[in-house]
Amino acid sequence: MVPWLFLAATIVGALFTLNAYMPQRRTGAMIIPSFFGGWLTSELALHHIAWQLVATVVFVWAGALEAWPGWAGLGITVVSWAALLSNVKLAAHAAPVLEAALSAGLGDDYRTHIDADLAEKIARTPPPPRRPVNPFRFKHPGVTIHRDIPYVEGGGKRNQLDVYVPTAGVQGAPVLLQIHGGGWTIGNKHEQALPLMVHLAQQGWVCVAANYRLSPKATWPDHLVDCKQALAWIRREIGRFGGNPDFVVVTGGSAGGHLTAMMGLTANDPRYQPGFESVDTRVAAAVPFYGVYDFSNHWGLHPHPRMGNWIAKSVLKVDPERDREALRRASPLHCIHAGAPPFFVIHGTNDSLAAVEEARHFAWSLARTSAEPVVYAEIPGAQHAFEVFHSERTSATVQAVDRFLAWTYSRYRARLQSPEGMAGVAPAAASAAAS
């Protein structure tokens, strides 16, 4: 009996490994389980080997190798471990891929355009851990979090935000707005992008993570309106936390990636700013992770197009067949224009939930149209939500985003210090540039 149990266990482990390389993207019922299995296995391959090793030792001690099924199971396990170690090597490719993307989008000499003080901060700040024993440890003594601050009067928990600041304090610091994912229906501000926010706060950034109203109770564009309300709060209040209200970048993953792109592409659009139309909702840059860019699936790029029908009915609450225009209006791919801010679009090749083909097309279309740089990085072997916790790919990605943002901030400061850039600049921006 023990040899057969061992064989069954090894087959299950091998299926996890296989799924990390070949996730289900077209079989509806298996998409979510495939995502979870592939996500945890591909980003925590060494942890996966560790628990399989413990299980193997226990089974061998219990007599698993006393019959041929046990030996077959051992062979399967060895092959599975070899594949997992290969996945670890694949994860190491993220860093050069990201660097090549930055060089292609910003220029081979982009690092020389990062201000010396920012480059020095990047050099002295330890990168996020690549292979920690506990990948879910995010706290840092140098970072203070101010939690549950309302950004809309009477808005409740869905209209609250957290502010991450350096414990030592800052003045006139650049600001990052993080928008969580969760299919526009679930999710919370304290669950995602923690490696990125903690890393940036160590360098002197002020990071804001906001909740927003969720479907099915909320109806599009409530989600986007709330994100713009959070930006309006930053314009009014972030100075109290040491942030510069005139330099705000936005990021987010999955549904948050979609909202990030929409934030970058719909600045000052009165349709999405009811009651606060006069607030400047431009952002200095947008960094969407594994976003959904076309609800209408106009180009047929999504491997499971029924997702668009679900979004139409649950989030927009329109008929997906009769109101295609509503789907297009809510899609970043149909909102592209030349005045978009700099973009850094990041996606994984093995994403089960958001089509990498769609991200590729979005970045290509935006780069053809926008007057600002567009960087596109396709991370080998990465699943959806790959950078939620610490891993090899997370560490490389956070450092790449750090460099992109430093380049963007350096350019902002250079423009403010030029006679043309200083003309008409608000006093807050001018003082921040001088600091």
Side-chain angles (χ1 to χ4, degrees):
M1 178 61 72
V2 172
W4 285 102
L5 288 174
F6 179 51
L7 176 60
T10 61
I11 291 173
V12 170
L15 288 174
F16 271 91
T17 302
L18 179 63
N19 180 66
Y21 281 94
M22 302 174 61
Q24 293 296 312
R25 303 179 67 219
R26 297 181 182 275
T27 307
M30 290 302 297
I31 288 174
I32 299 300
S34 178
F35 153 62
F36 278 108
W39 174 47
L40 296 173
T41 304
S42 59
E43 296 311 308
L44 301 176
L46 293 178
H47 293 74
H48 212 68
I49 291 174
W51 78 255
Q52 288 190 7
L53 178 61
V54 171
T56 298
V57 170
V58 171
F59 272 113
V60 170
W61 175 81
L65 301 184
E66 294 177 358
W68 72 264
W71 286 99
L74 184 62
I76 291 172
T77 295
V78 170
V79 172
S80 178
W81 289 349
L84 288 171
L85 289 173
S86 180
N87 185 276
V88 173
K89 291 183 178 180
L90 180 63
H93 292 170
V97 166
L98 287 156
E99 179 61 17
L102 288 168
S103 295
L106 305 180
D108 290 336
D109 62 344
Y110 82 93
R111 288 183 185 241
T112 66
H113 296 282
I114 297 175
D115 288 347
D117 63 318
L118 301 181
E120 192 272 332
K121 287 181 180 179
I122 291 173
R124 75 165 186 255
T125 304
R130 295 165 54 206
R131 299 169 189 168
V133 174
N134 179 7
F136 301 98
R137 186 179 183 276
F138 306 114
K139 291 183 179 180
H140 190 279
V143 178
T144 299
I145 307 173
H146 303 275
R147 297 194 182 277
D148 301 329
I149 302 169
Y151 65 85
V152 173
E153 187 175 353
K157 291 184 177 180
R158 294 313 310 177
N159 292 123
Q160 294 180 346
L161 51 79
D162 298 339
V163 181
Y164 294 67
V165 298
T167 302
V170 286
Q171 289 296 325
V175 180
L176 175 108
L177 171 60
Q178 152 65 21
I179 304 172
H180 71 77
W184 306 271
T185 61
I186 59 174
N188 200 285
K189 55 185 168 56
H190 56 73
E191 296 173 346
Q192 299 168 26
L194 296 175
L196 175 62
M197 290 192 292
V198 170
H199 181 74
L200 290 177
Q202 290 178 62
Q203 291 188 39
W205 281 69
V206 174
C207 300
V208 178
N211 277 341
Y212 52 88
R213 286 172 290 173
L214 299 172
S215 295
K217 186 176 181 180
T219 301
W220 176 267
D222 291 348
H223 322 71
L224 180 58
V225 170
D226 285 357
C227 293
K228 288 176 177 282
Q229 286 275 27
L231 178 56
W233 179 92
I234 291 172
R235 299 282 194 229
R236 296 190 312 267
E237 305 291 343
I238 204 63
R240 296 192 292 111
F241 299 89
N244 176 7
D246 297 303
F247 185 87
V248 183
V249 300
V250 61
T251 188
S254 193
H258 162 263
L259 290 166
T260 292
M262 291 298 288
M263 287 283 286
L265 295 170
T266 63
N268 298 330
D269 189 328
R271 293 176 298 175
Y272 305 121
Q273 297 178 212
F276 61 107
E277 293 87 352
S278 62
V279 175
D280 185 358
T281 55
R282 290 174 296 175
V283 293
V287 186
F289 285 77
Y290 40 86
V292 177
Y293 299 103
D294 184 15
F295 290 168
S296 69
N297 197 28
H298 178 77
W299 288 272
L301 298 173
H302 213 284
H304 39 97
R306 284 184 297 177
M307 186 186 79
N309 292 341
W310 174 84
I311 292 172
K313 295 175 181 178
S314 300
V315 180
L316 278 72
K317 297 173 187 172
V318 299
D319 187 304
E321 299 301 327
R322 290 190 293 184
D323 203 347
R324 307 296 294 176
E325 184 56 32
L327 295 176
R328 286 190 285 268
R329 283 196 303 270
S331 301
L333 255 166
H334 296 275
C335 297
I336 290 172
H337 58 86
F343 264 75
F344 188 2
V345 182
I346 301 171
H347 218 96
T349 61
N350 286 15
D351 197 312
S352 294
L353 303 183
V356 65
E357 297 86 354
E358 203 170 86
R360 198 180 297 148
H361 189 64
F362 172 71
W364 176 79
S365 299
L366 184 61
R368 290 183 63 202
T369 305
S370 178
E372 294 287 353
V374 177
V375 178
Y376 175 62
E378 202 166 287
I379 313 300
Q383 248 289 1
H384 199 74
F386 69 91
E387 42 55 88
V388 168
F389 47 80
H390 291 302
S391 71
E392 179 96 29
R393 293 185 182 93
T394 298
S395 183
T397 303
V398 166
Q399 292 177 80
V401 171
D402 189 3
R403 295 194 296 276
F404 172 78
L405 296 181
W407 179 90
T408 304
Y409 190 47
S410 298
R411 192 172 67 152
Y412 162 81
R413 296 201 297 190
R415 287 176 173 176
L416 286 183
Q417 290 166 359
S418 68
E420 296 81 7
M422 291 298 292
V425 173
S431 61
S435 63

